Amino acid sequence: PKYIEWRGIMDARASEAEDGVVPQVMDFCFGNPQQMATAEYVDTLKASANPDRPTYFAYRLNEEPSRRAMAPLLSDRYGMEVAPGDIFLTTGAFAGLAIALELLVNPGDGVIYPAPCWFFYARLSPSTNTRMMEMVTDGDAATASRRDLDKYLAMIEPNTKVII
């Protein structure tokens, strides 16, 4: 089955990485890192990892203090006014994509996603009536070609709401 083939590829990739070989396969499963974390990143994690209450490491969901802290940073970065209410924080890209699809897609609408892809795209359908359409690319996302764009454009239907 495809899972066994995929697992073999990923095991080979992990072995190559451990041997210092530049991998020929990129592992994007659940956001696996592709390079070493910087010292600054590690230092920030260490400095922020001293709990001051039992719930310190609990999952946080879209809390107001976090949104208030992000609003001025996003406003400065993008040169536009961003209010805390404009921000919705999630625990990862999967949750963000799921929320965006819930907001944008209605029953009967279509969603086009690339393949090969993250295996959960097809499962992100917010409705049993959503048409999830797989667009097979010529390569991976990093080497997407004009042919891929043409394929996407050819797949767009009147009810297509989202292209991932």
Side-chain angles (χ1 to χ4, degrees), residues 64-76 82-84 87 89:
E64 181 66 22
S66 300
R67 291 185 290 138
R68 278 197 316 268
M70 288 300 300
L73 298 172
L74 291 171
S75 294
D76 290 345
V82 177
I87 299 169
L89 300 173

Side-chain angles (χ1 to χ4, degrees), residues 33-39 41-42:
Q34 302 298 314
Q35 62 274 337
M36 290 296 294
T38 65
Y41 179 73
V42 173

Side-chain angles (χ1 to χ4, degrees), residues 6-16:
W6 172 251
R7 191 69 263 157
I9 291 170
M10 296 317 301
D11 289 345
R13 187 228 175 261
S15 177
E16 286 177 345

Side-chain angles (χ1 to χ4, degrees), residues 3-75:
Y3 172 77
I4 293 170
E5 179 182 318
W6 172 251
R7 191 69 263 157
I9 291 170
M10 296 317 301
D11 289 345
R13 187 228 175 261
S15 177
E16 286 177 345
E18 289 169 6
D19 294 340
V21 175
V22 176
Q24 298 302 307
V25 176
M26 300 304 287
D27 175 6
F28 292 106
C29 186
F30 294 107
N32 289 340
Q34 302 298 314
Q35 62 274 337
M36 290 296 294
T38 65
E40 295 83 2
Y41 179 73
V42 173
D43 290 344
T44 300
L45 288 176
K46 287 177 181 177
S48 301
N50 294 314
D52 60 2
R53 61 191 173 285
T55 59
Y56 187 83
F57 292 110
Y59 285 107
R60 303 285 185 209
L61 298 175
N62 202 36
E63 294 181 348
E64 181 66 22
S66 300
R67 291 185 290 138
R68 278 197 316 268
M70 288 300 300
L73 298 172
L74 291 171
S75 294

Side-chain angles (χ1 to χ4, degrees), residues 3-164:
Y3 172 77
I4 293 170
E5 179 182 318
W6 172 251
R7 191 69 263 157
I9 291 170
M10 296 317 301
D11 289 345
R13 187 228 175 261
S15 177
E16 286 177 345
E18 289 169 6
D19 294 340
V21 175
V22 176
Q24 298 302 307
V25 176
M26 300 304 287
D27 175 6
F28 292 106
C29 186
F30 294 107
N32 289 340
Q34 302 298 314
Q35 62 274 337
M36 290 296 294
T38 65
E40 295 83 2
Y41 179 73
V42 173
D43 290 344
T44 300
L45 288 176
K46 287 177 181 177
S48 301
N50 294 314
D52 60 2
R53 61 191 173 285
T55 59
Y56 187 83
F57 292 110
Y59 285 107
R60 303 285 185 209
L61 298 175
N62 202 36
E63 294 181 348
E64 181 66 22
S66 300
R67 291 185 290 138
R68 278 197 316 268
M70 288 300 300
L73 298 172
L74 291 171
S75 294
D76 290 345
R77 181 173 185 167
Y78 295 108
M80 57 188 276
E81 184 62 31
V82 177
D86 297 330
I87 299 169
F88 198 98
L89 300 173
T90 67
T91 56
F94 173 71
L97 264 174
I99 289 168
L101 289 177
E102 278 291 332
L103 292 171
L104 298 172
V105 178
N106 297 309
D109 288 340
V111 175
I112 302 172
Y113 63 93
C117 66
W118 182 50
F119 71 95
F120 230 77
Y121 280 161
R123 307 287 185 266
L124 280 172
S125 174
S127 162
T128 56
N129 294 327
T130 301
R131 185 161 176 231
M132 298 298 287
M133 299 175 281
E134 182 180 85
M135 196 287 290
V136 179
T137 63
D138 290 332
D140 60 36
T143 61
S145 68
R146 175 62 194 196
R147 289 187 310 265
D148 291 336
L149 177 58
D150 292 340
K151 286 181 191 177
Y152 270 115
L153 294 173
M155 290 182 71
I156 296 174
E157 301 172 345
N159 68 335
T160 301
K161 272 285 186 69
V162 174
I163 298 174
I164 297 176

